[in-house]
Amino acid sequence: MQLLLSTWAEAEEYLKTSKGIVLPIGSTEQHGPNGLIGTDALCAEVIARGVGDATGAMVGPTIPVGMAVHHMEFAGSMTLKPSTLIALLRDYVLSLSEHGFQRFFFVNGHGGNIASVRAAFYEIYAENRALRGKDAPDLRCTLVNWWENAEVSRLSKELFGGKEGSHATPSEVSVTQYAFPESIKTATMEPETAAAGGFYDARDFRRRHPDGRIGSAPGLAQPEHGQRLVEAAVGAISRQYESFLEEA
């Protein structure tokens, strides 16, 4: 059940039986020679909708731009400052809480969001308590990264071995190829597996990783792999969502 495709009356009816909502969040940034700029947002959205279908959860609008300042040397990348992302999440959650939502389950597609999203949760808790005191609703927020569960990790290792890497991975490219077959891109990549390693700012990222990959071989991506990864992620994260709602 997608919030954007629901009426206010349907949202009101939903809240009679559930206080939970799934919120996909990603990024708009380069993903190497064959990865779509929207990869992180698209993966989060596809998997979040799958979780909604599997659990009956309401799925909110995707937050498509995240904290990606380190990608800004690559054309098409967009970023929010950490403070902007924190403020945006605060407004999202507190808006929905006015209607009765209390359990906010973020499905994340971008590692660069993690620190800011977790900081936002404590900003939300602090403001909720400061404004409403003992009458504050019992708001709870959690973040799950779609690739961080035993099922997806095991499958990624089976499919790609040590060539997954940490950015522009064959797993995430496979998910977008499965979900958007009309937008599959091809490119020659030398070497097949990019060098691993860290970086400091955007300029240093481009210098160390000139084609945008980090330790990955996204040329191994296939739509069939993407389907298996989506199914694994949806199954694992659906169980996480249900456990989140059931917590005392």
Side-chain angles (χ1 to χ4, degrees):
M1 190 174 185
Q2 295 179 50
L3 182 63
L4 294 182
L5 298 180
S6 303
T7 67
W8 71 262
E10 289 173 320
E12 191 170 73
E13 189 66 24
Y14 172 85
L15 283 162
K16 293 177 181 178
T17 58
S18 179
K19 306 300 183 186
I21 187 166
V22 176
L23 292 162
I25 180 170
S27 185
T28 298
E29 64 185 48
Q30 68 83 21
H31 273 81
N34 70 333
L36 306 180
I37 287 174
T39 291
D40 288 344
L42 296 171
C43 289
E45 182 171 288
V46 166
I47 291 165
R49 289 185 180 181
V51 171
D53 290 342
T55 65
M58 178 75 77
V59 179
T62 300
I63 301 168
V65 180
M67 205 301 290
V69 66
H70 46 297
H71 292 282
M72 289 303 292
E73 284 288 311
F74 295 88
S77 298
M78 300 172 66
T79 190
L80 300 177
K81 292 184 297 183
S83 57
T84 304
L85 181 56
I86 290 169
L88 182 143
L89 294 177
R90 175 263 181 209
D91 288 353
Y92 267 52
V93 169
L94 293 183
S95 292
L96 290 167
S97 74
E98 287 193 29
H99 308 300
F101 289 97
Q102 294 186 1
R103 299 292 183 267
F104 301 89
F105 187 88
F106 288 82
V107 175
N108 182 43
H110 173 52
N113 288 337
I114 296 171
S116 298
V117 172
R118 288 179 174 161
F121 293 166
Y122 284 98
E123 291 281 350
I124 290 162
Y125 297 152
E127 182 167 351
N128 181 48
R129 180 180 176 84
L131 289 176
R132 304 177 187 177
K134 293 182 179 180
D135 295 326
D138 178 25
L139 303 185
R140 298 185 189 181
C141 306
T142 195
L143 176 77
V144 298
N145 303 312
W146 73 262
W147 65 91
E148 282 191 340
N149 55 74
E151 291 85 343
V152 169
S153 295
R154 183 167 53 248
L155 182 54
S156 172
K157 187 173 182 179
E158 172 193 326
L159 295 172
F160 308 119
K163 299 181 179 182
E164 173 74 356
S166 59
H167 183 68
T169 68
S171 288
E172 59 188 344
V173 173
S174 292
V175 169
T176 61
Q177 288 184 351
Y178 164 63
F180 303 94
E182 70 284 359
S183 297
I184 292 174
K185 313 294 183 182
T186 58
T188 300
M189 286 172 257
E190 293 293 340
E192 178 193 54
T193 305
F199 55 86
Y200 290 95
D201 60 4
R203 187 179 305 173
D204 189 52
F205 188 120
R206 183 68 184 261
R207 182 181 66 81
R208 295 173 188 255
H209 309 288
D211 71 355
R213 299 178 294 152
I214 302 180
S216 62
L220 300 176
Q222 294 182 24
E224 295 81 7
H225 298 337
Q227 181 176 3
R228 294 179 66 190
L229 288 159
V230 168
E231 291 170 353
V234 167
I237 295 171
S238 294
R239 291 189 291 274
Q240 288 177 279
Y241 176 72
E242 291 172 336
S243 295
F244 176 59
L245 293 187
E246 292 168 1
E247 288 178 350

